[in-house]
Structures are given as structure tokens and as C-alpha cells.
């Protein structure tokens, strides 16, 4: 991270702005001019062509990706969701929104609510208290992979200003795409032996990629042919139009099913200013790593040769990439979008250059003035991430327990003490001391469970995510873990097994607040959060097939005392049955 | 229908048996030795290869087709159905079982019950009062097309005997198969413009067909290559093993999504003795037409050269066939199954030889002693079958109304007078007198509705199904209509528009009792039934995509007075919500 003139300019703009802002931030975020913003979402399958090849996608109001929700901090967002699928239930999770006081609106099937049945309408109503870059997506089966996602952007409250200046804004929602249907992917993953979904066929930027061709074929000597797109096609890249000599905020979120990504813009450095809806200590990068479930804002200044356009490229990290770059153009107006850049698209760092990734992740630190973590924790759990087997089925497990979701949503079960609906034993909070994380598990057997961790309201909880070797020797994968209902502080990343000695290396000074954090191969990541939002919340690997294979845990934060759950949220399973007197109508 | 020695032998056997049986039939069918037969059905997707090409299929307990249910008349069948799908609801309809007094067990989503959610168990419990050849299948979205079906065979009650003799029994469940997933088919059918599913890739006998090859390639000069199957493959034909000089009952049922079929056995005539679970006046045929939703029993005598095996072939009728014959072998033991017949498989009659089809259908008449229809009807409705358009979407409509099912099952809505859950206006009972059925509709517009016909309990209802020209000129399709909860008498078939003059041609003497009857192109079919089973019942075209496009009506037979509905059947939609007091938990 050098200090080019470009960088110094950005830094300067930012510091001035910060001083102004600090004085403005005295007022409450939730002011008197907050609005209720209504959206009607019809979810249904439509024919799309995310990567130029026609495919059924899960769309909203006929669009893929779904419409962007835009609100101001302090507003209430109301989404009337109509399920227009034929036989499938559906829910939508508002990723990064903490759902303060509305745990039933978190949109997680089997956890916060019943899946919405075909033909039914469910109304999500929640406060967006904090400005930032968020997104929403399906959270039932693997419907996110089927294309059920969109952006959710929260601006600062009316009358407030962001702590940095920019002239314009651009938005990139990143995803990955397979040609095999999600239904078939699910069957394969659940089969014995498992059939892995493989690497994605395409990377999508705002739902657009190119499978049979490359936008940048003429720069390479690869075999892929040049795309012949006029720009009106469903899969034509969404061009990022900019004026020269301006500063833009580029919002980037990743809702990939699998791929860890790296984004770079030819000739342009990026100043990272926000991560997961929290301001960070600004830092400059040439390229940005982003894992599924994460979001960033970066500032870019269009101070390059205005006669040229520049590539925006996205590549795969952390897995041997078999997927072509995702591409679009940063188009300096008034240049034509058909004017191709003079140099080839930036190349992603080597997929297994983990030092590059670690340097990036560790650079994300809280902006001055951000809330600090409590100095001490009330409870610490160590969660060992292992790949396992059950009767020939491949699973992922945490402390040797692979998560299986119950038919009745946890929130209803804990609220009404329906103890038969899920496993009442809590999973273990640590793993055997003699476990060798550098080797495949000695015993690959695991158990499934629907058990939950019960957390005290307002307690401070540490989670040490401990990575290990998978079943195959010399393989340890990246897992981005996402917490619902809360942000956590990322206290640190380390190599090997977390031990007492690592304790003092934890960053209690300026750890970033996030909702998603990655564990690197053979390493650990330490998180701290205050369990101050009553409800039942998922904490899970955000890789869609990994969650499908059991890679998650459930936190019950005194869900028993949640009040005001709308009955529509729980009109299924044991909570649905509970509502009748003797099981028969009269 | 000649009177070969074979025929005379069969007829003789039948008459003797009839006399014996008549004296036995005095006792009630429901005797003291009736059993309760329990089945556990786990519904989930599995990898199959119905026609040798691997495909995801909807299986039960890992099997496709699902397990055969076998019971005796008077028994109670109990099926504990667990939904192991990931995001889809499911129900199973017990096709041909009238559900006397148990309308909630009919297994029709949105009509008799809520779809069973993933992870949930629903128990179907119903009386099988009448011996016969039945089957079961999914009745939600197009899950039947996805492979959710199996046989249901009811033998005569303990101590009773069938009214004909046979030495052994064979069972053939016929279906058709597409390589496009059902989810994609559904999206295509619902799109504007509609994407038609086309003709099936394969015909399946007991879930087995051959796509890339033919079992009988060596007889033809077609381009299809000879199958190389060892017999252990998932798609290898299920060989029909027989002993020479015996009589076999061959049960045949069709659960096709689209195809009307014709079945023939090389060198063997068939004596038709049962249709849709009702005994018929036996008649001999060389080949048998069977439409989706129908079932037959035929007797065959293995009196041909015992050194040879014989082809059993199934072909398409009523639509220009683009699907190869379905084939299996009638294997005279102890011949090897690898001994191929000396002559090629029987050829299906020309697809548009409707006279052949009509002759067959009209030959189905009630066996002597069968219940006769009431002489007069209380109400007669004429149902015009038209193809229509709504905003670019292609629909099928009845009297210009295209059926759309509500989110709350009708049975609950009518029971609890939840009038807001569906259209309270009943659809029309006839169509304009000046409608020209020989031409495409002058006005192709139609409306959708969830309205029902309300029928008086125990009233006698006539339904005249009136066929017309579809949207395209000179096209009129076959539609097999299936009634739930009742059998009807087929009073007759006719050409053109049904008129007063046709009244006297109706057969009130020995019309067959059936649950499915076809309308031929540009013709009418007259049905009569006594609405003596309270509940809400579907009456619809059994072609899966046609029903999906609105081709059905709903009969409410005093569902208001149904008692004993298990609450699990209605724990969704407005009936689910009704169960709470003020919409909130406390």
C-alpha cells in the first residue's frame, strides 16, 4: 500500500470530511424524518441468461438480480413478499441488517420463521439503523444459488453526511453461477457418495457474466473467443459510467455460493472505507479480496487518462480457479463503452497466495471513534471446522456436530418451550486437546444435531473459529462465517491451533466490526460479540453447499423472552399445531 | 372382436366364475377380518435413469416408481408420509380411491389439504372399499411428472373371489418421461409466450424405458441402435415372466403427464375385465387404448408357442407420436429372457385413427349386476373445454374460466366459511349457444378464477364435457377428465355439439362406472354421478400441463358439513391463521 499522489488526495479528502462529520454525529441516527419504505416482491422463476446461456433463475418482480432496496438510516423497510413459486417455500434474509427487536424478520427458514408457502404473502418489517452496503438473499435450501438476491443500500440519515466525500456512486453485487440446476446440486450434495458441485461456470457482476466468450479475449492468447454483445443483451456487462476527475464510492458485495473473489480496476487504486456496514480505517489497495457474505465500500478517483476506459475484473481466490474472470468496464465519459481499454484486465493474485489475502484481511481495522469491544468475555467457545462422513454422506461439522435444521422454526420452539422439536443437548464448546489440525481427522464419523448454544442476554461471547485439514490430506479450505442479528469484532487471525499464547495478540484496540469473517487454511480467527439482541440466530459458513452440508451453529439468545412475533411467522410445524386445541376442527 | 378359441376359453372361465361369485357377494365387503396396512413413505429426490439417461427423479424410500401398496377390500391403508425434499411441499393423491368420509385424505394440495412442508410427516388414513387396480401420485405443481407415483392394488376382501379366474398376475404402470426438469417445464408453461413441453422423450413401463437405443432395433430398419442391457440396469425392462397355458391378469394403469397410449402384446388377445376399479362386461381386444388417469385389468392366456417370447409394446395415440415405443417382453418360462421374439413388436394404430379409439372406449360397459345410474338428473352442467390467452399466457379454460388454486385449501375454507380465500362466484354452467366448436375461439380472452361449483349432497349431477377447436385452426385435442371422490357413469360419447337430440342416445342401461373419461376431438362425453361424498373435489383434465394451465373445476359437495378434519391437514393459509386469537403470540 504505497502513498501515490492519488492515495494522498483520497486520504486528505477523507480526513477533512471526518472532522466535519464528527461534529455532526452528535444527533441520534433515528431522527424525526424517518420514512417507511414499502416494497412489493413477487418471487418466481423466470428465464434468464446470467452468463449468456439461458437458464431458469429465481427472480423478483421478473428481475434478476432482484430490485435494489434503498433507504436511509433510521427508516423502516417493509417488504411484502408474495411467493409465486409453484411448490417451493421461500424466505429472504436481509444480510447485515441486525433486526434489532425483530428477530422474526431475519428471513431464515427453520430458524426465525416458517418458509412462506406458495400463494402466500409475508410482510418483513424492520429498522435499518445503520448506513452501509448490504444485500438480501434467499435462506432456504440453496435458493440463494438459484439467483434469489439483490442489493440493500442504506444511506446516512436525513441531514447527516458520510464521513468521506464522493461525487457519485457505483454498485457491484458479485455472485457465481452454475449451469446445473440448484435442485440437482442439492440432490448431488446430499447423495452418498456426495457429488460436488464443482467450480462455478461463471462469475457475475450485477447478475451478468459471459460464459461462451470473453470481453477481453483480444488481449490474451487463450482460446476463448471475443464476445459479440451489443449491450442490450441480458448478459451484457453493466457498464460503470464515470466522469473524469471525480471521486466515486464503489459499493461491492459478494453473495457467491462458493467463490472467494478478488476485484481490481485497471490503473486505479481503491481506498477501502467501509466493511459490512461499518466504517473502517481507510486503507489503499490495488486489489480487494471479498468473501461470500462480505461487503465493502471503496473510493476511487477517476484521475487516469480520460481518453481511455479501464477494466474492472473479478477473479477466484482460495480455490484453484477454473472459472474465467468476471469483467466490466469503468467507462470514462464521454468515451464510448465500445472503446476497449489499452491494457488487459488486471490479473487476480495467485489463488493460493494466502499471504496476500491475510494482509488484506488484517488491514481491515475500525475507524477511529467506532465502538470498542468489551475488554473481557463472559464465555468463549472454540469451534473446530471439520469435514466428516455419515454413512457415506459427506458433511461439514462443528466440534463433531453437523447441523440439521428442524421443521419447526427455533424461534417458536424456544419461545413456547416446545422441547421435542429440536435436540435439547447443546453441542460441545471445544474439541479434544490432542486433535491434530494439520492432518485429516483420525475418525471421520460425525453426528447430526439440531441442538443450539444458549447465550445469556447481554453477555460477551468469544468465538474462536479453528480451521483444520479436511478429509483429504493437505487440504484446508477457506470458510467465511456469517453471524445473524449482530456484528462481531474481529480480534485477530492466526496460524495453527489457537492457544493461550495467542490471547495477548488479540486486538482489543481497534478491531473491525463485521458480520462476516473468514478463517484461513490451518488457521484460526477470533471473534467477540455482545449478545444483546434477543432471538435465535444462525452463525454459519456462508458457502451455500457447506451450510447445506451442516456447517453452522445456532445461538439462542433468550428467545424465550421475545415478544410480538407475528403469528404468520410461525404458522407451521409444532407452533402451527400448538394453535389448535385438540388437533381437530369442530 | 372375434371369437377365437382363446376368446371362448376366457369367456367360459369368466361366466362360471361369475355365478359362483354372485352367491358369495351377499356379505358386506367390509368384513371382520379387515386389516390396517401401514406404510412409511419418505419422499425425496434421487438420481435415477428412467430411460437410461441419468436424471433426478422424485422417489419414495429411494425407489422410483414408489413402492406398490397392496391391500384387500375393506382394509384401511395408513401412509405416514415424510417430506424429505429441501424446499418443496408435497402431497400424494390416491387415484381412484373415493375417500368415503375422509375427504381430507384425498391428497390434493390447495383442495383437500395443505402441502406437507419439508421435514414434516402427514398421515393418510383411508378405507379401500372396492377391489381394483389403482395408483397414487403427486398432486402439487407438476410433481407427478417428476416421478412421484406408484401402484395401489386392492384385492377382493378376505374370503371373497374375483368374478373371473386367473393363475397369476402381472402389473404395468405406464408413464412418460422428459429430459427437461419439471421445474423448468413449469416455468416454460407459465411464461408468455408459453413454451410447450413437447412430446415425451420416452415411454416408461414400471418406470423403465430406453432412450438411446431400442430393445427391438434388429426388427426395424430405423436408425436406432440395439440396446445392450444385461438386465441389472435401472432402465432395463422389467420382464413379464409367465408359464405356458395359464391365464394371467395384467393390471395396466397410466399416470402419464401427457401421452395417450395404446398397449398390445404380440400374438395375444386381451380380455378386458376391469376399468378404473370397476368390473366391466368382458370384451376381447388386440390392443388397448389407455389415457392418463385410467386403469384396466385384462386377462391373457399363454396359449401361444411356448418356445417363443412375445413383445409387449406401448405407443402414443391422439398426438403425432415423436416418442419411440415403450417395450418389454412377455417371457414364456423356462425360455431365457434374452431370447428375442420371432416377430417385431406390435405396431400402435395410427395416432389419429380416432374411430379405433372410439370403438374401444364405447366397448367399455358395466358388468351385469353393477350399480345403475339414477334415471334422472337433478342438475346438468355443460363444460366447454377451450384453449385461451391471458396477457400473452396460454391457458385452458372451462366455460371461459381458467382455474387458479388458492393458497388456503378449499376444504378448510368451505368448512369455516372463510369466504375471502377464494372467488365466491361460481363459474358458469354452460356456454353461449352460438359458440362454434369447430373453429378457434372468436375471442381468445379468458379470466382466471378460484370459484367452485356447489353441489347438493346426494344430488344427481350430469356433466357434459364439450370439446372444441383449440386456438390453432383444425386442432382439437384429447382430454381425459378425472373426478375425485366419486366414480361416474359414462353415459355416452358423441360428435359435435351436445344437443337435446343426443339425450335419447345416452346409455342408462349399462354405462360403465369410471373415475376417468376422455373427450375426443370435436366431440362430447356425458357423465352422471351422485354427489354422495361430502368434501371438496377436483374434476380436471389429467394431462399434467393442462391442469397446470387451468384445465379443471372444483366441486364443493357440502364441505361445510365435513367433520373430523385433522388439523395437520389445514395448518396453512387462512385456516392456519384462524387458529390464533389476535394474530400475535404472547
Amino acid at each position: 500500500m504505497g502513498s501515490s499522489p492519488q492515495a494522498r488526495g483520497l486520504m486528505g479528502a477523507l480526513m477533512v470530511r471526518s472532522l466535519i462529520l464528527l461534529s455532526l454525529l452528535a444527533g441520534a441516527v433515528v431522527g424525526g424524518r424517518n420514512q417507511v419504505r414499502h416494497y412489493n416482491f413477487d418471487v418466481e422463476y423466470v428465464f434468464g441468461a446470467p452468463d449468456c446461456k439461458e437458464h431458469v433463475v429465481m427472480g423478483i418482480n421478473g428481475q434478476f438480480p432482484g430490485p435494489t432496496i434503498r433507504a436511509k438510516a433510521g427508516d423502516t423497510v417493509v417488504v411484502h413478499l408474495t411467493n409465486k413459486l409453484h411448490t417451493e417455500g421461500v424466505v429472504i434474509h436481509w444480510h447485515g441488517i441486525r433486526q434489532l427487536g425483530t428477530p422474526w424478520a431475519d428471513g431464515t427458514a427453520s430458524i426465525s420463521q416458517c418458509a412462506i408457502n406458495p400463494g402466500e404473502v409475508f410482510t418483513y418489517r424492520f429498522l435499518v439503523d445503520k448506513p452501509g452496503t448490504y444485500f438480501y438473499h434467499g435462506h432456504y435450501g440453496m435458493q440463494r444459488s438459484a439467483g434469489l438476491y439483490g442489493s440493500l443500500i442504506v444511506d446516512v440519515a436525513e441531514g447527516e453526511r458520510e464521513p468521506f466525500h464522493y461525487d457519485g456512486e457505483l454498485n457491484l453485487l458479485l455472485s457465481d453461477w452454475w449451469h446445473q440446476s440448484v435442485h440437482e446440486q442439492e440432490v448431488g450434495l446430499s447423495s452418498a457418495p456426495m457429488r460436488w458441485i464443482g467450480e462455478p461456470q461463471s462469475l457475475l457482476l450485477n447478475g451478468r457474466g459471459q460464459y461462451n466468450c470473453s470481453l477481453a479475449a483480444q488481449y490474451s492468447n487463450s482460446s476463448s473467443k471475443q464476445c459479440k454483445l451489443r449491450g442490450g443483451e441480458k448478459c451484457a456487462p453493466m457498464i460503470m459510467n464515470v466522469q473524469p476527475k471525480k471521486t466515486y464510492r464503489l459499493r461491492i458485495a459478494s453473495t457467491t455460493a462458493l467463490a472467494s473473489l478478488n476485484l481490481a480496476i485497471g490503473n486505479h487504486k481503491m481506498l477501502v472505507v467501509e466493511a459490512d456496514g461499518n466504517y473502517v480505517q481507510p486503507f489503499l489497495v490495488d486489489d480487494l479480496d471479498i468473501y461470500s457474505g462480505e461487503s465493502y465500500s471503496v473510493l476511487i478517483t477517476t484521475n487516469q487518462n480520460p481518453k481511455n476506459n479501464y477494466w474492472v475484473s473479478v477473479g477466484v481466490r482460495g480455490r484453484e480457479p477454473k472459472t474465467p474472470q468476471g469483467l466490466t468496464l469503468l467507462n470514462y465519459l464521454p468515451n464510448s463503452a465500445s472503446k476497449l481499454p489499452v491494457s488487459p484486465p488486471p490479473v487476480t493474485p495467485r489463488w493460493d497466495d494466502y499471504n496476500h489475502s491475510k494482509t488484506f484481511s488484517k488491514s481491515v481495522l475500525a475507524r477511529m471513534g467506532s465502538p470498542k469491544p468489551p475488554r473481557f468475555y463472559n464465555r468463549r467457545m472454540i469451534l473446530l471446522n471439520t469435514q466428516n462422513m455419515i454413512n457415506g454422506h459427506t458433511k461439514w461439522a462443528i466440534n463433531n456436530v453437523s447441523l440439521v435444521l428442524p421443521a419447526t422454526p427455533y424461534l417458536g420452539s424456544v419461545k413456547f418451550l416446545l422441547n421435542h422439536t429440536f435436540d435439547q443437548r447443546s453441542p460441545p464448546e471445544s474439541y479434544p486437546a490432542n486433535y491434530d489440525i494439520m492432518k485429516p481427522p483420525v475418525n471421520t464419523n460425525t453426528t447430526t444435531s439440531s441442538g443450539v448454544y444458549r447465550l445469556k442476554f447481554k453477555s460477551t461471547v468469544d468465538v474462536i473459529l479453528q480451521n483444520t485439514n479436511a478429509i483429504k490430506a493437505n487440504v484446508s479450505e477457506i470458510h467465511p462465517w456469517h453471524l445473524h442479528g449482530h456484528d462481531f469484532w474481529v480480534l485477530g487471525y492466526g496460524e495453527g491451533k489457537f492457544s493461550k499464547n495467542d490471547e495477548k495478540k488479540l486486538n482489543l484496540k481497534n478491531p473491525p466490526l463485521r458480520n462476516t469473517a473468514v478463517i484461513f487454511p490451518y488457521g484460526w480467527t477470533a471473534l467477540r460479540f455482545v449478545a444483546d439482541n434477543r432471538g435465535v440466530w444462525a452463525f454459519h459458513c456462508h458457502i451455500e453447499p457447506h451450510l447445506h452440508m451442516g456447517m453452522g451453529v445456532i445461538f439462542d439468545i433468550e428467545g424465550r423472552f421475545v415478544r410480538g412475533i407475528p403469528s404468520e411467522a410461525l404458522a407451521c410445524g409444532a407452533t402451527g399445531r400448538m394453535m389448535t386445541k385438540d388437533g381437530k376442527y369442530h
Side-chain angles (χ1 to χ4, degrees), chain A:
Chain A
M1 276 163 263
S3 185
S4 64
Q6 184 189 6
R8 279 198 295 273
L10 280 169
M11 288 287 199
L14 190 99
M15 274 184 274
V16 173
R17 193 60 60 193
S18 299
L19 289 169
I20 297 168
L21 241 228
L22 278 173
S23 55
L24 288 170
L25 271 172
V29 173
V30 183
R33 277 170 296 179
N34 299 323
Q35 292 185 37
V36 179
R37 298 183 188 266
H38 286 269
Y39 290 85
N40 290 308
F41 275 20
D42 287 358
V43 176
E44 63 186 323
Y45 286 108
V46 293
F47 285 106
D51 65 356
C52 303
K53 193 168 141 54
E54 189 180 66
H55 204 284
V56 163
V57 296
M58 203 172 264
I60 296 174
N61 302 344
Q63 291 174 241
F64 162 76
T68 294
I69 291 179
R70 188 120 203 174
K72 292 196 159 104
D75 286 351
T76 297
V77 171
V78 180
V79 180
H80 307 281
L81 192 156
T82 304
N83 180 353
K84 295 208 164 177
L85 306 171
H86 293 113
T87 54
E88 286 181 68
V90 74
V91 292
I92 290 185
H93 169 58
W94 316 97
H95 187 108
I97 305 299
R98 289 174 295 166
Q99 301 293 349
L100 299 173
T102 53
W104 54 80
D106 194 41
T108 47
S110 286
I111 304 169
S112 65
Q113 70 168 116
C114 299
I116 305 157
N117 286 327
E120 294 282 2
V121 182
F122 182 84
T123 299
Y124 290 97
R125 174 184 291 267
F126 52 88
L127 175 72
V128 290
D129 62 308
K130 216 158 44 98
T133 305
Y134 306 102
F135 55 105
Y136 61 83
H137 59 77
H139 213 295
Y140 189 34
M142 287 174 52
Q143 291 180 344
R144 174 161 59 98
S145 295
L148 186 54
Y149 45 73
S151 294
L152 194 170
I153 294 173
V154 182
D155 291 300
V156 289
E158 189 66 38
E160 306 283 339
R161 297 177 78 171
E162 295 279 5
F164 37 79
H165 162 80
Y166 50 95
D167 304 297
E169 199 181 302
L170 301 160
N171 186 46
L172 275 182
L173 180 60
L174 307 179
S175 56
D176 44 7
W177 189 250
W178 279 256
H179 293 163
Q180 189 184 40
S181 82
V182 165
H183 295 102
E184 204 164 335
Q185 290 180 37
E186 285 177 346
V187 182
L189 292 168
S190 305
S191 293
M194 174 194 66
R195 301 191 188 185
W196 178 242
I197 61 169
E199 297 300 313
Q201 271 70 63
S202 306
L203 301 179
L204 309 183
L205 288 72
N206 293 332
R208 289 149 180 258
Q210 298 80 35
Y211 175 66
N212 273 324
C213 62
S214 167
L215 297 173
Q218 74 271 41
Y219 300 92
S220 71
N221 43 17
S222 86
S223 59
S224 61
K225 60 175 194 282
Q226 182 69 25
C227 295
K228 284 182 186 150
L229 297 169
R230 291 159 171 273
E233 297 85 354
K234 282 179 184 174
C235 66
M238 209 168 273
I239 302 297
M240 294 165 58
N241 292 312
V242 291
Q243 301 284 350
K245 301 205 184 300
K246 301 280 183 187
T247 298
Y248 288 88
R249 177 181 192 163
L250 173 56
R251 297 178 184 271
I252 310 159
S254 173
T255 182
T256 55
L258 174 64
S260 303
L261 300 175
N262 181 276
L263 179 139
I265 307 173
N267 292 43
H268 291 74
K269 287 190 183 291
M270 299 178 278
L271 184 72
V272 182
V273 292
E274 181 219 339
D276 299 0
N278 294 289
Y279 297 120
V280 301
Q281 186 95 21
F283 64 103
L284 260 192
V285 291
D286 291 312
D287 60 87
L288 169 135
D289 275 359
I290 183 165
Y291 302 95
S292 179
E294 293 186 336
S295 64
Y296 289 99
S297 285
V298 299
L299 300 183
I300 56 171
T301 299
T302 49
N303 54 7
Q304 296 301 300
N305 185 344
K307 297 208 170 137
N308 295 334
N309 291 333
Y310 301 88
W311 286 115
V312 179
S313 76
V314 176
V316 172
R317 304 278 291 126
R319 306 179 69 92
E320 199 171 345
K322 290 167 185 161
T323 312
Q325 279 185 318
L327 291 170
T328 188
L329 272 191
L330 187 71
N331 182 29
Y332 272 52
L333 294 175
N335 296 338
S336 158
S338 61
K339 180 167 188 177
L340 290 180
V342 291
S343 27
V347 173
T348 309
R350 241 186 87 95
W351 71 272
D352 57 355
D353 180 357
Y354 291 113
N355 285 333
H356 186 93
S357 300
K358 288 171 189 170
T359 301
F360 177 83
S361 289
K362 289 175 184 173
S363 302
V364 180
L365 294 167
R367 182 169 171 273
M368 228 190 326
S370 300
K372 288 196 176 182
R375 283 190 62 200
F376 302 102
Y377 60 85
N378 299 113
R379 181 172 173 183
R380 175 177 285 173
M381 47 183 77
I382 304 183
L383 303 184
L384 183 75
N385 291 223
T386 54
Q387 198 181 27
N388 303 70
M389 302 295 295
I390 298 180
N391 301 327
H393 297 269
T394 305
K395 298 283 178 188
W396 287 93
I398 307 307
N399 292 341
N400 216 32
V401 173
S402 185
L403 179 65
V404 177
L405 295 174
T408 303
Y410 287 110
L411 184 58
S413 295
V414 302
K415 167 77 185 158
F416 300 110
L417 304 173
L418 304 174
N419 294 343
H420 61 288
T421 60
F422 67 94
D423 197 334
Q424 291 299 300
R425 289 165 304 174
S426 291
E429 308 216 356
S430 64
Y431 65 98
N434 62 353
Y435 192 99
D436 186 347
I437 66 151
M438 303 305 290
K439 292 195 177 141
V442 175
N443 178 359
T444 60
N445 277 344
T446 188
T447 52
T448 57
S449 170
S450 55
V452 306
Y453 295 101
R454 298 186 190 262
L455 306 185
K456 268 204 183 131
F457 183 55
K458 293 198 171 163
S459 62
T460 299
V461 178
D462 271 18
V463 176
I464 314 290
L465 290 163
Q466 179 64 58
N467 212 340
T468 58
N469 201 103
I471 286 178
K472 198 174 156 191
N474 302 315
V475 173
S476 183
E477 297 188 16
I478 280 179
H479 303 286
W481 278 76
H482 171 64
L483 178 59
H484 289 235
H486 305 74
D487 288 341
F488 48 66
W489 289 274
V490 185
L491 303 186
Y493 303 87
E495 308 291 322
K497 238 179 189 175
F498 179 83
S499 73
K500 281 282 164 203
N501 291 335
D502 295 314
E503 186 74 41
K504 42 186 171 293
K505 295 182 211 156
L506 297 182
N507 173 14
L508 299 182
K509 205 180 118 230
N510 62 348
L513 269 171
R514 307 203 63 163
N515 60 55
T516 305
V518 77
I519 45 171
F520 293 105
Y522 303 110
W524 55 261
T525 299
L527 312 175
R528 180 167 295 178
F529 69 99
V530 179
D532 57 2
N533 194 10
R534 284 199 182 93
V536 184
W537 307 102
F539 178 51
H540 61 91
C541 176
H542 208 259
I543 292 177
E544 189 92 316
H546 287 187
L547 175 58
H548 185 82
M549 293 158 79
M551 197 167 207
V553 299
I554 303 293
F555 294 140
D556 167 21
I557 305 176
E558 300 191 6
R560 174 84 184 94
F561 299 109
V562 169
R563 287 179 166 271
I565 308 174
S567 60
E568 305 90 81
L570 299 179
C572 70
T575 39
R577 285 191 286 277
M578 194 189 71
M579 296 187 247
T580 59
K581 280 161 259 162
D582 62 358
K584 286 205 178 183
Y585 295 93
H586 297 272

